[in-house]
Amino acid sequence: MSRLRQSDPIALWRAIEQAGGVQAYVNAQLAERGFLVQRRETDKMTDREREAYKKSLKAEAEERRRIRREAWQAHKATHIVHLGEGIFWTEGRGPDKWDLPNAEARAAENELPPLDSAKQLAEALGLTVAELRRLAYHRDAATVLNYRRFTIPKRDGSSRAIWAPLPRLKKAQRWILHNILEKLLVHGSVHGFLAGRSTLTNAAVHADPKLVVKMDLKDFFPTVTLPRVKGVFRKAGYREEVATLLAMLCTESPREVVELEGKTYYVALGPRCLPQGAPTSPALTNTLGLRLDRRLSGLAKKLGWRYTRYADDLAFSLPHNHAGPPRVGALLGSVRRIVESEGFSIHPDKTAVARPGGRQKITGLVVNGGTPPRAPREFRRRLRAAIHNRAMGKPSPDGETISTLVGMAAYVFMSDPRRGKAYLDALAELDQPSALGPPSEV
């Protein structure tokens, strides 16, 4: 029985709980295995009896240590124990002052899964507690990460670091996304990473504007650190233990790769925050920005403007029929103060005011001219030229593939189905031997 339990730490811990705790289990096992020694006075023992008594006590002590080691391994397999350097963790703790009143009722109102312990969370994620601990554990200098790092080019020519979670962590994050985050309240002005919302719905709010103001939130994901993420889960209705684990699964420190004595280390450069590349990060910013969006939406309405947010892009537009002064200065100053009071900051180089007479774009789509949002003309010309060159057998630039062009055509189709379909049909014909000539402009 004992050996079976040793190979199954979960069953072993169950036996420890049934025994009434570690000490009671150890004593019961010592008695069952014949190692428990009845204590006696040694004064009246002969030398031989005393020597045998001491020997049996020593055997009992060794067996006691061995059973306690087994119990500790079973405890670690069924409890988190520790989450790493600088991470506060307590297990089995009761309600505290940070809990919402009737926290479980709040979670039930949001139709969130009931999660009261690390064990229950692990089971929901299809993990053992030990696996959950490995995914959530923090090290300032790690030799192994649960993320893969790569870079993608930004529009300004620099590189953006993407930290993509490895499959097991990604699966856990997707569970959190679908079962928790997608059920939390998001402001109606948000259009990024939501079902039924897109860059098109975002731009459509601002159709036919007199003025457009665009602002960017600086270092958006890195600004959302572990305590803020933990706060989202606590406000959702989860208590300290589960909220901490959920926040750890959704965050990671920005890291630098360091080679030392032939070994690779991933050294933390700052506090844990939202990784750009995790499926949970956009949804967390959406729900975390609820008060920010409420305040900015209220400000815009008060000044006669319209407001939307797509990830870190803030867009404001003044309707074409607006009467009275635009009050652009009041808008810019108030937005900055609200953003900073909510723990974010405005990117100093990415504030733009698009006035009448020029092209006005929001999330890449042109919104002025009295027509629905549409892809820019030069974008369509570049796509049409690329299709023409391929149809004529001309070489394509590096990085330009059929898939790239199909994606561009689909982007046009989103706002202009008739023209976009012509491009998609032309691209479909490029694989046919009879494909000759460019698509006609529609």
Side-chain angles (χ1 to χ4, degrees):
M1 171 90 58
S2 175
R3 290 182 180 178
L4 286 175
R5 286 175 180 161
Q6 186 176 0
S7 64
D8 184 354
I10 296 175
L12 175 54
W13 187 255
R14 192 179 301 118
I16 291 171
E17 290 180 322
Q18 290 171 351
V22 173
Q23 188 60 43
Y25 173 78
V26 170
N27 289 334
Q29 285 298 302
L30 287 171
E32 181 181 319
R33 302 177 192 185
F35 283 93
L36 190 63
V37 179
Q38 183 69 37
R39 268 47 178 180
R40 295 178 290 141
E41 294 292 336
T42 60
D43 295 345
K44 298 180 180 180
M45 291 183 183
T46 65
D47 290 345
R48 180 176 294 179
E49 289 173 334
R50 189 179 296 109
E51 187 65 26
Y53 181 65
K54 289 180 179 179
K55 188 174 181 180
S56 62
L57 287 176
K58 184 177 181 180
E60 180 197 282
E62 290 178 355
E63 186 67 10
R64 184 183 297 275
R65 284 193 293 270
R66 192 175 73 79
I67 297 172
R68 290 190 71 88
R69 281 196 300 270
E70 292 176 6
W72 174 242
Q73 293 302 318
H75 180 82
K76 287 201 301 182
T78 51
H79 297 75
I80 294 297
V81 181
H82 183 49
L83 277 177
E85 302 150 5
I87 305 300
F88 175 75
W89 174 258
T90 56
E91 203 149 5
R93 173 177 167 175
D96 62 29
K97 64 178 182 179
W98 304 111
D99 284 333
L100 290 176
N102 303 314
E104 286 77 12
R106 170 68 71 88
E109 286 174 9
N110 290 327
E111 298 182 346
L112 304 184
L115 301 171
D116 299 323
S117 65
K119 180 182 177 183
Q120 201 168 3
L121 175 59
E123 290 172 351
L125 296 174
L127 302 169
T128 65
V129 171
E131 289 169 336
L132 174 60
R133 181 174 58 245
R134 282 194 291 272
L135 291 181
Y137 202 87
H138 174 79
R139 289 182 176 85
D140 286 340
T143 55
V144 177
L145 284 184
N146 291 307
Y147 290 85
R148 177 176 64 89
R149 182 185 185 277
F150 61 93
T151 60
I152 59 174
K154 296 168 69 174
R155 283 180 294 181
D156 61 6
S158 61
S159 296
R160 186 190 306 276
I162 302 295
W163 292 89
L166 297 181
R168 180 167 288 185
L169 177 58
K170 187 174 184 179
K171 181 180 177 182
Q173 290 175 343
R174 287 196 179 281
W175 187 93
I176 295 170
L177 173 65
H178 298 316
N179 291 276
I180 299 176
L181 297 177
E182 288 181 348
K183 298 179 180 180
L184 301 182
L185 188 61
V186 174
H187 196 268
S189 61
V190 175
H191 289 260
F193 313 103
L194 291 172
R197 301 288 182 95
S198 65
T199 56
L200 177 61
T201 63
N202 184 62
V205 173
H206 304 278
D208 197 22
K210 180 182 292 187
L211 285 172
V212 167
V213 171
K214 295 189 293 183
M215 307 173 82
D216 270 23
L217 299 177
K218 185 180 179 183
D219 298 328
F220 191 39
F221 284 179
T223 302
V224 182
T225 54
L226 175 66
R228 300 181 76 175
V229 176
K230 183 175 172 180
V232 169
F233 292 113
R234 296 217 74 172
K235 288 179 181 177
Y238 292 118
R239 299 192 185 274
E240 168 74 20
E241 184 177 326
V242 169
T244 298
L245 285 167
L246 290 169
M248 293 294 287
L249 290 171
C250 295
T251 58
E252 179 55 271
S253 292
R255 294 182 181 269
E256 181 178 0
V257 182
V258 175
E259 299 289 339
L260 181 64
E261 298 179 352
K263 201 167 185 179
T264 301
Y265 293 89
Y266 302 92
V267 180
L269 300 177
R272 291 178 74 95
C273 58
L274 295 183
Q276 191 148 355
T280 44
S281 293
L284 278 163
T285 60
N286 282 347
T287 190
L288 187 72
L290 178 60
R291 193 169 68 174
L292 170 70
D293 295 318
R294 280 175 174 166
R295 295 180 68 186
L296 292 179
S297 181
L299 170 69
K301 185 176 181 180
K302 179 181 177 182
L303 298 177
W305 290 68
R306 301 170 293 195
Y307 163 73
T308 60
R309 178 169 66 84
Y310 193 98
D312 57 353
D313 294 333
L314 311 180
F316 300 86
S317 67
L318 193 66
H320 192 75
N321 58 0
H322 177 79
R327 303 183 66 186
V328 176
L331 176 72
L332 294 175
S334 297
V335 168
R336 188 176 300 276
R337 285 190 293 272
I338 290 173
V339 166
E340 290 176 355
S341 70
E342 292 296 330
F344 298 100
S345 62
I346 296 293
H347 197 299
D349 302 325
K350 293 189 176 180
T351 296
V353 180
R355 302 185 182 276
R359 187 174 60 183
Q360 297 167 321
K361 290 199 307 179
I362 290 179
T363 45
L365 296 170
V366 178
V367 294
N368 59 323
T371 59
R374 59 209 177 275
R377 183 175 297 152
E378 65 271 18
F379 181 91
R380 302 196 309 268
R381 285 175 176 169
R382 189 167 75 250
L383 172 60
R384 186 168 182 271
I387 298 173
H388 169 82
N389 290 337
R390 280 184 173 266
M392 295 296 101
K394 295 180 180 180
S396 301
D398 290 341
E400 182 186 281
T401 65
I402 284 288
S403 295
T404 303
L405 298 180
V406 168
M408 294 173 68
Y411 183 71
V412 175
F413 182 87
M414 176 180 65
S415 58
D416 188 343
R418 189 166 64 94
R419 181 177 276 124
K421 185 176 186 304
Y423 295 143
L424 290 169
D425 289 345
L427 286 166
E429 291 176 4
L430 284 178
D431 289 333
Q432 304 302 320
S434 59
L436 295 173
S440 59
E441 183 62 88
V442 291

PDB file of all heavy atoms in Angstrom, residues 101-119:
ATOM      1  N   PRO A 101     -17.375  42.043  -1.711  1.00  0.00           N
ATOM      2  CA  PRO A 101     -18.492  41.477  -0.942  1.00  0.00           C
ATOM      3  C   PRO A 101     -19.226  40.451  -1.821  1.00  0.00           C
ATOM      4  O   PRO A 101     -19.511  40.717  -2.983  1.00  0.00           O
ATOM      5  CB  PRO A 101     -19.375  42.699  -0.661  1.00  0.00           C
ATOM      6  CG  PRO A 101     -18.472  43.890  -0.811  1.00  0.00           C
ATOM      7  CD  PRO A 101     -17.471  43.505  -1.859  1.00  0.00           C
ATOM      8  N   ASN A 102     -19.470  39.295  -1.247  1.00  0.00           N
ATOM      9  CA  ASN A 102     -20.148  38.227  -2.004  1.00  0.00           C
ATOM     10  C   ASN A 102     -19.413  37.928  -3.314  1.00  0.00           C
ATOM     11  O   ASN A 102     -19.997  37.955  -4.399  1.00  0.00           O
ATOM     12  CB  ASN A 102     -21.600  38.615  -2.285  1.00  0.00           C
ATOM     13  CG  ASN A 102     -22.374  38.918  -1.025  1.00  0.00           C
ATOM     14  OD1 ASN A 102     -22.298  38.177  -0.059  1.00  0.00           O
ATOM     15  ND2 ASN A 102     -23.105  40.032  -1.036  1.00  0.00           N
ATOM     16  N   ALA A 103     -18.094  37.673  -3.175  1.00  0.00           N
ATOM     17  CA  ALA A 103     -17.255  37.470  -4.358  1.00  0.00           C
ATOM     18  C   ALA A 103     -17.771  36.334  -5.232  1.00  0.00           C
ATOM     19  O   ALA A 103     -17.809  36.445  -6.464  1.00  0.00           O
ATOM     20  CB  ALA A 103     -15.811  37.194  -3.929  1.00  0.00           C
ATOM     21  N   GLU A 104     -18.166  35.234  -4.599  1.00  0.00           N
ATOM     22  CA  GLU A 104     -18.645  34.091  -5.387  1.00  0.00           C
ATOM     23  C   GLU A 104     -19.918  34.447  -6.155  1.00  0.00           C
ATOM     24  O   GLU A 104     -20.126  33.979  -7.276  1.00  0.00           O
ATOM     25  CB  GLU A 104     -18.879  32.884  -4.461  1.00  0.00           C
ATOM     26  CG  GLU A 104     -17.607  32.207  -3.966  1.00  0.00           C
ATOM     27  CD  GLU A 104     -16.916  32.974  -2.853  1.00  0.00           C
ATOM     28  OE1 GLU A 104     -17.532  33.909  -2.308  1.00  0.00           O
ATOM     29  OE2 GLU A 104     -15.762  32.639  -2.535  1.00  0.00           O
ATOM     30  N   ALA A 105     -20.767  35.285  -5.536  1.00  0.00           N
ATOM     31  CA  ALA A 105     -21.990  35.709  -6.228  1.00  0.00           C
ATOM     32  C   ALA A 105     -21.643  36.556  -7.447  1.00  0.00           C
ATOM     33  O   ALA A 105     -22.294  36.453  -8.489  1.00  0.00           O
ATOM     34  CB  ALA A 105     -22.887  36.490  -5.267  1.00  0.00           C
ATOM     35  N   ARG A 106     -20.609  37.419  -7.326  1.00  0.00           N
ATOM     36  CA  ARG A 106     -20.186  38.225  -8.478  1.00  0.00           C
ATOM     37  C   ARG A 106     -19.701  37.325  -9.614  1.00  0.00           C
ATOM     38  O   ARG A 106     -20.048  37.542 -10.772  1.00  0.00           O
ATOM     39  CB  ARG A 106     -19.070  39.175  -8.046  1.00  0.00           C
ATOM     40  CG  ARG A 106     -18.370  39.895  -9.209  1.00  0.00           C
ATOM     41  CD  ARG A 106     -19.274  40.884  -9.914  1.00  0.00           C
ATOM     42  NE  ARG A 106     -19.538  42.031  -9.088  1.00  0.00           N
ATOM     43  CZ  ARG A 106     -18.756  43.117  -9.058  1.00  0.00           C
ATOM     44  NH1 ARG A 106     -17.674  43.171  -9.815  1.00  0.00           N
ATOM     45  NH2 ARG A 106     -19.066  44.136  -8.293  1.00  0.00           N
ATOM     46  N   ALA A 107     -18.885  36.323  -9.292  1.00  0.00           N
ATOM     47  CA  ALA A 107     -18.410  35.395 -10.319  1.00  0.00           C
ATOM     48  C   ALA A 107     -19.574  34.664 -10.972  1.00  0.00           C
ATOM     49  O   ALA A 107     -19.592  34.460 -12.193  1.00  0.00           O
ATOM     50  CB  ALA A 107     -17.425  34.399  -9.711  1.00  0.00           C
ATOM     51  N   ALA A 108     -20.570  34.276 -10.174  1.00  0.00           N
ATOM     52  CA  ALA A 108     -21.729  33.577 -10.723  1.00  0.00           C
ATOM     53  C   ALA A 108     -22.538  34.494 -11.635  1.00  0.00           C
ATOM     54  O   ALA A 108     -23.039  34.071 -12.677  1.00  0.00           O
ATOM     55  CB  ALA A 108     -22.601  33.048  -9.590  1.00  0.00           C
ATOM     56  N   GLU A 109     -22.663  35.780 -11.257  1.00  0.00           N
ATOM     57  CA  GLU A 109     -23.375  36.738 -12.102  1.00  0.00           C
ATOM     58  C   GLU A 109     -22.701  36.881 -13.463  1.00  0.00           C
ATOM     59  O   GLU A 109     -23.362  37.052 -14.493  1.00  0.00           O
ATOM     60  CB  GLU A 109     -23.422  38.104 -11.411  1.00  0.00           C
ATOM     61  CG  GLU A 109     -24.394  38.183 -10.248  1.00  0.00           C
ATOM     62  CD  GLU A 109     -24.277  39.508  -9.513  1.00  0.00           C
ATOM     63  OE1 GLU A 109     -23.565  40.407 -10.017  1.00  0.00           O
ATOM     64  OE2 GLU A 109     -24.886  39.642  -8.448  1.00  0.00           O
ATOM     65  N   ASN A 110     -21.367  36.832 -13.466  1.00  0.00           N
ATOM     66  CA  ASN A 110     -20.618  36.917 -14.718  1.00  0.00           C
ATOM     67  C   ASN A 110     -20.559  35.589 -15.462  1.00  0.00           C
ATOM     68  O   ASN A 110     -19.905  35.489 -16.507  1.00  0.00           O
ATOM     69  CB  ASN A 110     -19.183  37.397 -14.440  1.00  0.00           C
ATOM     70  CG  ASN A 110     -19.124  38.845 -14.012  1.00  0.00           C
ATOM     71  OD1 ASN A 110     -19.937  39.652 -14.455  1.00  0.00           O
ATOM     72  ND2 ASN A 110     -18.174  39.181 -13.148  1.00  0.00           N
ATOM     73  N   GLU A 111     -21.214  34.575 -14.897  1.00  0.00           N
ATOM     74  CA  GLU A 111     -21.237  33.223 -15.470  1.00  0.00           C
ATOM     75  C   GLU A 111     -19.824  32.662 -15.598  1.00  0.00           C
ATOM     76  O   GLU A 111     -19.469  32.005 -16.578  1.00  0.00           O
ATOM     77  CB  GLU A 111     -21.942  33.227 -16.832  1.00  0.00           C
ATOM     78  CG  GLU A 111     -23.400  33.651 -16.743  1.00  0.00           C
ATOM     79  CD  GLU A 111     -24.110  33.601 -18.085  1.00  0.00           C
ATOM     80  OE1 GLU A 111     -23.413  33.487 -19.112  1.00  0.00           O
ATOM     81  OE2 GLU A 111     -25.342  33.670 -18.103  1.00  0.00           O
ATOM     82  N   LEU A 112     -19.005  32.930 -14.578  1.00  0.00           N
ATOM     83  CA  LEU A 112     -17.636  32.430 -14.564  1.00  0.00           C
ATOM     84  C   LEU A 112     -17.583  31.082 -13.851  1.00  0.00           C
ATOM     85  O   LEU A 112     -18.370  30.820 -12.941  1.00  0.00           O
ATOM     86  CB  LEU A 112     -16.714  33.426 -13.847  1.00  0.00           C
ATOM     87  CG  LEU A 112     -16.704  34.854 -14.382  1.00  0.00           C
ATOM     88  CD1 LEU A 112     -15.680  35.689 -13.624  1.00  0.00           C
ATOM     89  CD2 LEU A 112     -16.400  34.876 -15.875  1.00  0.00           C
ATOM     90  N   PRO A 113     -16.646  30.223 -14.236  1.00  0.00           N
ATOM     91  CA  PRO A 113     -16.537  28.919 -13.563  1.00  0.00           C
ATOM     92  C   PRO A 113     -16.130  29.102 -12.107  1.00  0.00           C
ATOM     93  O   PRO A 113     -15.275  29.947 -11.802  1.00  0.00           O
ATOM     94  CB  PRO A 113     -15.440  28.204 -14.367  1.00  0.00           C
ATOM     95  CG  PRO A 113     -14.689  29.289 -15.069  1.00  0.00           C
ATOM     96  CD  PRO A 113     -15.671  30.376 -15.325  1.00  0.00           C
ATOM     97  N   PRO A 114     -16.728  28.347 -11.187  1.00  0.00           N
ATOM     98  CA  PRO A 114     -16.337  28.439  -9.776  1.00  0.00           C
ATOM     99  C   PRO A 114     -14.946  27.851  -9.578  1.00  0.00           C
ATOM    100  O   PRO A 114     -14.706  26.680  -9.877  1.00  0.00           O
ATOM    101  CB  PRO A 114     -17.409  27.617  -9.056  1.00  0.00           C
ATOM    102  CG  PRO A 114     -17.925  26.663 -10.086  1.00  0.00           C
ATOM    103  CD  PRO A 114     -17.806  27.365 -11.410  1.00  0.00           C
ATOM    104  N   LEU A 115     -14.028  28.654  -9.083  1.00  0.00           N
ATOM    105  CA  LEU A 115     -12.650  28.223  -8.859  1.00  0.00           C
ATOM    106  C   LEU A 115     -12.251  28.692  -7.465  1.00  0.00           C
ATOM    107  O   LEU A 115     -12.037  29.880  -7.241  1.00  0.00           O
ATOM    108  CB  LEU A 115     -11.706  28.827  -9.908  1.00  0.00           C
ATOM    109  CG  LEU A 115     -11.993  28.498 -11.381  1.00  0.00           C
ATOM    110  CD1 LEU A 115     -11.123  29.335 -12.300  1.00  0.00           C
ATOM    111  CD2 LEU A 115     -11.795  27.017 -11.649  1.00  0.00           C
ATOM    112  N   ASP A 116     -12.149  27.758  -6.536  1.00  0.00           N
ATOM    113  CA  ASP A 116     -11.895  28.116  -5.144  1.00  0.00           C
ATOM    114  C   ASP A 116     -10.506  27.726  -4.664  1.00  0.00           C
ATOM    115  O   ASP A 116     -10.132  28.072  -3.542  1.00  0.00           O
ATOM    116  CB  ASP A 116     -12.939  27.453  -4.237  1.00  0.00           C
ATOM    117  CG  ASP A 116     -14.353  27.919  -4.573  1.00  0.00           C
ATOM    118  OD1 ASP A 116     -14.513  29.107  -4.901  1.00  0.00           O
ATOM    119  OD2 ASP A 116     -15.278  27.087  -4.526  1.00  0.00           O
ATOM    120  N   SER A 117      -9.737  27.000  -5.473  1.00  0.00           N
ATOM    121  CA  SER A 117      -8.424  26.546  -5.021  1.00  0.00           C
ATOM    122  C   SER A 117      -7.528  26.268  -6.218  1.00  0.00           C
ATOM    123  O   SER A 117      -7.993  26.187  -7.362  1.00  0.00           O
ATOM    124  CB  SER A 117      -8.564  25.259  -4.195  1.00  0.00           C
ATOM    125  OG  SER A 117      -9.045  24.203  -5.034  1.00  0.00           O
ATOM    126  N   ALA A 118      -6.244  26.125  -5.925  1.00  0.00           N
ATOM    127  CA  ALA A 118      -5.283  25.778  -6.976  1.00  0.00           C
ATOM    128  C   ALA A 118      -5.635  24.431  -7.604  1.00  0.00           C
ATOM    129  O   ALA A 118      -5.531  24.250  -8.822  1.00  0.00           O
ATOM    130  CB  ALA A 118      -3.876  25.739  -6.390  1.00  0.00           C
ATOM    131  N   LYS A 119      -6.063  23.502  -6.773  1.00  0.00           N
ATOM    132  CA  LYS A 119      -6.430  22.180  -7.281  1.00  0.00           C
ATOM    133  C   LYS A 119      -7.588  22.266  -8.261  1.00  0.00           C
ATOM    134  O   LYS A 119      -7.569  21.647  -9.328  1.00  0.00           O
ATOM    135  CB  LYS A 119      -6.789  21.264  -6.114  1.00  0.00           C
ATOM    136  CG  LYS A 119      -7.186  19.861  -6.527  1.00  0.00           C
ATOM    137  CD  LYS A 119      -7.572  19.027  -5.309  1.00  0.00           C
ATOM    138  CE  LYS A 119      -8.038  17.637  -5.732  1.00  0.00           C
ATOM    139  NZ  LYS A 119      -8.487  16.825  -4.572  1.00  0.00           N
TER     140      LYS A 119
END
